[in-house]
C-alpha cells in the first residue's frame, strides 16, 4: 500500500528541493528480505492471480477524482487564485480566443494526494507557450503590487531531458515552471522525440508512469486522471506505464531507470508487464545505445540518496541491469583477475552499510565508525551518506584495474568518471 511517510522529493533537475531540511533515515535494511522483494516485484504467475481489470485511457474530459483529494496550503491557494485571475484577464483582452486551461502536472499532484509537502509546481498550458504565460503572470503581479522576478527561459536540451522550452519565475515567493502540453513522436534510433503541442490526454500518455501523469485543474480545483489508472495505482502502490511498456521503454529507455527509482522511493510494486519489458534484451540494448551516461548517473544518484537505497540495488540486480548501469571498460583491458565476487556483493555491502548507519552504537562496528566523520551519521548530511551508498554499489569492482596510458587506474574510478559521469 502507499507509504505516505516518504519525504517528497522533486523530479525536476532544476528545482532539487525537499520537504523541510532533512531527508528521513532509510528503512532498516533487514526489513527488505527476499520474501518481501518477491512481493514487490510481481512475477507473471502472481500477477495473473492479483491483477485487477485492465486499465484503458480516459476520454478527453475525465471524471473528477473524488476519493482522493488535494488540500492546498494558503500559498498554493493564493497562487491558484493569481493564475485564475491571469486567465480571466487574458480572456477579457482576447474574447474571441478559447479560454486558457491551466493544470498543475506531475509530481506535485502525486505527492499532494499522498499527503506530502511539495514545492515543485509545474503549470501545463493547453494553447500558449510557457514563456508567454509567464510574461502575463509577471505583468499581473506588477499591476497588483506584488514583487516580480526575471523570467528564466530554459531552452530545449533533449540530452538533459528538456524536450520543450520552459519558463520559470517566482509567483508569491515560490518558483513555478510554465510549459505547454505536448505530444511526442519517436524514431527508432534516438530517445529525443519530435515535439508538438498536445492535448491533456496526449501529455498524460507520454509520461513515464501513471502516478506521475495526474493533473490538478486550477479552474475546477479537481484532480484529473486521463490515463484512467493513475489514482488506482497510487492507492494500490503499483508502478506501471501509461501505454504498453515495451513501446514506452523503446521510445525512451531512461524511463526504465525512472520506474526503478520511483518503485524504490515509494516502496511500490512494479506490475508484471512492466517488469517483463524491463528484462527484454532489446530494452537493455537501447539503454546502452540511446541514453547519455550523464542521465544514467543522475538517476542512480537519486536512488542512492532516496529512502530505500538497498531496494534500489536489489531491483537493479534482479532485473539484470547492473552492467548496463555501471558501465565498465572492455574486460579485455582489465589487469589481473576478472570479477570474482559477483555483482551480488553490491547488495550485501549496501545492506551492511545501512545497518551500520542505523545502529552506530553496536560494538561490532565501532572500530569502523571511529574512522569516519561523525557527520556521516547525521540524516541531514546527505552527500556523505550518498557517497558511501554509491561506493557500496561499486564494491564488486574493488581491486580491479586497467591501464590508461602510463597509469594504472581502478575500474571503479573509470565507471564513475565515464560510465556515470559523476
Amino acid at each position: 500500500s502507499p507509504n505516505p511517510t516518504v519525504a517528497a522529493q522533486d523530479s525536476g533537475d532544476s528545482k532539487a528541493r525537499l520537504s523541510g531540511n532533512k531527508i528521513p533515515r532509510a528503512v532498516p535494511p533487514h526489513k527488505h528480505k527476499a520474501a518481501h522483494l518477491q512481493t514487490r516485484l510481481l512475477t507473471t504467475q502472481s500477477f495473473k492471480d492479483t491483477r485487477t481489470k485492465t486499465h484503458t485511457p480516459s476520454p478527453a474530459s475525465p471524471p473528477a477524482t473524488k476519493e482522493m483529494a488535494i488540500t492546498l496550503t494558503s500559498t498554493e491557494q493564493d497562487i491558484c487564485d493569481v493564475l485564475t485571475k491571469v486567465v480571466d484577464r487574458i480572456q477579457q483582452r482576447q474574447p474571441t480566443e478559447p479560454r486558457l486551461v491551466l493544470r498543475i502536472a506531475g509530481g506535485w499532484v502525486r505527492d499532494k494526494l499522498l499527503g506530502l509537502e511539495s514545492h515543485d509546481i509545474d503549470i501545463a498550458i493547453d494553447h500558449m507557450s510557457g514563456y508567454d504565460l509567464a510574461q502575463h503572470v509577471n505583468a499581473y503581479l506588477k499591476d497588483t503590487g506584488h514583487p516580480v522576478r526575471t523570467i528564466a527561459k530554459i531552452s530545449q536540451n533533449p540530452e538533459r531531458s528538456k524536450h520543450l522550452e520552459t519558463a520559470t519565475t517566482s509567483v508569491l515567493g515560490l518558483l513555478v515552471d510554465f510549459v505547454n502540453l505536448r505530444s511526442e513522436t519517436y524514431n527508432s534510433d534516438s530517445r529525443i522525440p519530435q515535439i508538438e503541442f498536445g492535448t491533456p490526454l496526449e501529455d498524460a500518455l507520454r509520461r513515464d508512469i501513471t502516478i506521475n501523469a495526474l493533473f490538478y485543474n486550477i479552474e475546477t480545483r479537481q484532480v484529473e486522471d486521463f490515463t484512467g489508472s493513475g489514482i488506482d495505482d497510487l492507492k494500490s502502490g503499483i508502478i506501471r506505464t501509461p501505454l504498453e511498456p515495451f513501446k514506452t521503454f523503446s521510445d525512451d529507455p531512461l524511463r526504465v531507470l525512472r520506474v526503478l527509482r520511483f518503485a524504490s522511493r515509494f516502496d511500490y510494486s512494479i506490475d508484471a508487464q512492466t517488469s517483463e519489458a524491463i528484462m527484454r534484451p532489446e530494452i537493455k540494448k537501447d539503454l546502452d545505445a540511446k541514453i547519455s551516461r550523464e542521465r544514467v548517473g543522475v538517476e542512480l544518484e537519486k536512488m542512492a540518496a532516496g529512502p530505500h537505497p538497498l531496494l534500489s540495488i536489489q531491483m537493479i540486480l534482479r532485473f539484470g541491469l547492473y552492467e548496463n548501469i555501471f558501465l565498465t571498460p572492455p574486460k579485455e583491458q582489465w589487469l589481473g583477475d576478472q570479477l570474482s565476487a559477483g555483482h551480488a556483493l553490491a547488495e550485501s555491502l549496501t545492506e551492511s552499510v545501512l545497518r551500520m548507519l542505523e545502529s552506530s552504537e553496536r560494538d561490532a562496528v565501532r572500530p569502523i565508525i571511529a574512522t569516519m566523520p561523525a557527520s556521516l551519521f547525521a540524516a541531514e548530511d546527505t552527500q556523505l551518506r550518498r557517497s558511501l551508498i554509491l561506493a557500496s554499489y561499486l564494491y564488486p569492482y574493488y581491486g580491479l584495474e586497467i591501464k590508461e596510458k602510463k597509469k594504472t587506474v581502478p575500474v571503479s574510478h573509470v565507471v564513475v568518471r565515464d560510465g556515470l559521469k559523476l
Side-chain angles (χ1 to χ4, degrees):
S1 61
N3 181 2
T5 64
V6 179
Q9 297 177 341
D10 287 278
S11 58
D13 296 334
S14 63
K15 297 185 295 182
R17 296 185 294 274
L18 294 171
S19 172
N21 298 319
K22 296 183 179 180
I23 292 180
R25 298 170 71 83
V27 171
H30 63 271
K31 293 186 179 180
H32 293 296
K33 297 297 185 182
H36 170 73
L37 185 65
Q38 290 172 1
T39 66
R40 310 312 299 166
L41 306 180
L42 298 178
T43 63
T44 303
Q45 184 59 47
S46 65
F47 187 66
K48 289 179 180 177
D49 297 333
T50 61
R51 184 180 179 183
T52 57
K53 65 179 181 179
T54 301
H55 292 287
T56 56
S58 295
S61 298
T65 303
K66 296 181 180 178
E67 294 184 28
M68 296 187 78
I70 286 178
T71 301
L72 300 177
T73 65
S74 59
T75 300
E76 291 165 343
Q77 179 73 48
D78 290 343
I79 289 173
C80 288
D81 290 343
V82 164
L83 293 175
T84 299
K85 291 173 182 176
V86 169
V87 172
D88 290 341
R89 175 190 269 196
I90 294 172
Q91 187 65 34
Q92 290 170 1
R93 294 177 177 178
Q94 303 173 3
T96 61
E97 296 294 323
R99 182 178 175 84
L100 277 177
V101 179
L102 307 184
R103 297 172 170 90
I104 305 179
W108 180 91
V109 185
R110 176 201 66 225
D111 290 344
K112 294 292 287 187
L113 287 171
L114 291 175
L116 306 174
E117 185 179 349
S118 178
H119 302 294
D120 187 23
I121 297 182
D122 297 328
I123 304 299
I125 314 154
D126 63 345
H127 61 272
M128 180 180 287
S129 75
Y131 185 73
D132 287 345
L133 180 62
Q135 288 182 308
H136 283 288
V137 171
N138 267 8
Y140 176 84
L141 291 173
K142 182 178 179 181
D143 291 346
T144 54
H146 292 92
V148 175
R149 285 185 55 176
T150 302
I151 299 170
K153 191 174 183 180
I154 304 170
S155 301
Q156 288 178 281
N157 189 347
E159 285 301 321
R160 294 189 177 273
S161 290
K162 291 292 182 184
H163 298 313
L164 202 64
E165 180 182 276
T166 304
T168 302
T169 193
S170 177
V171 182
L172 305 183
L174 193 63
L175 288 179
V176 177
D177 285 350
F178 297 90
V179 66
N180 56 270
L181 295 169
R182 63 191 189 263
S183 64
E184 299 177 346
T185 304
Y186 292 82
N187 63 51
S188 60
D189 300 322
S190 173
R191 63 173 286 265
I192 301 173
Q194 296 292 320
I195 302 292
E196 297 179 354
F197 275 74
T199 66
L201 175 59
E202 288 172 329
D203 194 276
L205 294 179
R206 60 98 190 163
R207 293 178 182 265
D208 50 8
I209 53 179
T210 58
I211 64 170
N212 290 344
L214 299 166
F215 293 106
Y216 180 75
N217 189 308
I218 290 176
E219 181 106 6
T220 65
R221 306 295 167 98
Q222 293 178 327
V223 175
E224 296 173 333
D225 184 6
F226 286 91
T227 71
S229 56
I231 292 295
D232 287 344
D233 289 343
L234 200 60
K235 291 177 182 177
S236 303
I238 297 293
I239 299 293
R240 81 174 87 230
T241 58
L243 297 175
E244 195 277 320
F246 182 78
K247 178 65 165 58
T248 297
F249 297 145
S250 295
D251 286 344
D252 185 358
L254 184 67
R255 291 166 176 158
V256 169
L257 303 187
R258 289 178 61 81
V259 162
L260 299 190
R261 175 160 67 87
F262 283 106
S264 63
R265 174 182 163 187
F266 291 110
D267 197 10
Y268 279 8
S269 302
I270 301 175
D271 88 303
Q273 288 183 330
T274 303
S275 297
E276 290 166 359
I278 291 173
M279 299 183 74
R280 293 273 293 270
E282 305 98 307
I283 297 301
K284 295 179 180 180
K285 183 178 178 181
D286 285 342
L287 187 59
D288 293 339
K290 292 184 179 181
I291 305 301
S292 70
R293 301 314 301 180
E294 290 90 346
R295 295 302 303 161
V296 174
V298 166
E299 291 299 322
L300 184 71
E301 271 204 302
K302 290 180 178 179
M303 292 186 212
H308 303 130
L310 176 60
L311 189 55
S312 295
I313 193 64
Q314 286 174 330
M315 288 192 293
I316 288 170
L317 292 168
R318 300 305 185 269
F319 283 115
L321 293 169
Y322 190 90
E323 291 187 353
N324 303 95
I325 293 173
F326 301 97
L327 189 65
T328 67
K331 291 184 179 180
E332 55 267 20
Q333 296 181 14
W334 295 10
L335 301 176
D337 295 334
Q338 297 291 301
L339 187 67
S340 57
H343 299 149
L345 184 59
E347 176 183 344
S348 301
L349 189 60
T350 300
E351 183 170 10
S352 297
V353 165
L354 287 171
R355 184 174 290 125
M356 177 183 70
L357 294 176
E358 293 297 329
S359 56
S360 57
E361 297 303 317
R362 291 189 180 185
D363 292 339
V365 298
R366 278 179 180 168
I368 301 175
I369 292 171
T371 68
M372 298 180 177
S375 58
L376 178 63
F377 301 93
E380 62 269 17
D381 198 338
T382 60
Q383 182 61 47
L384 285 171
R385 289 174 64 87
R386 179 174 56 192
S387 297
L388 194 56
I389 294 300
L390 288 172
S392 302
Y393 288 175
L394 287 162
Y395 195 76
Y397 297 129
Y398 177 76
L400 298 174
E401 297 175 320
I402 67 167
K403 199 78 170 180
E404 283 190 346
K405 297 181 180 179
K406 296 182 179 181
K407 293 182 179 180
T408 299
V409 180
V411 168
S412 57
H413 173 80
V414 180
V415 171
V416 172
R417 184 193 67 197
D418 299 338
L420 299 171
K421 302 287 187 180
L422 297 178

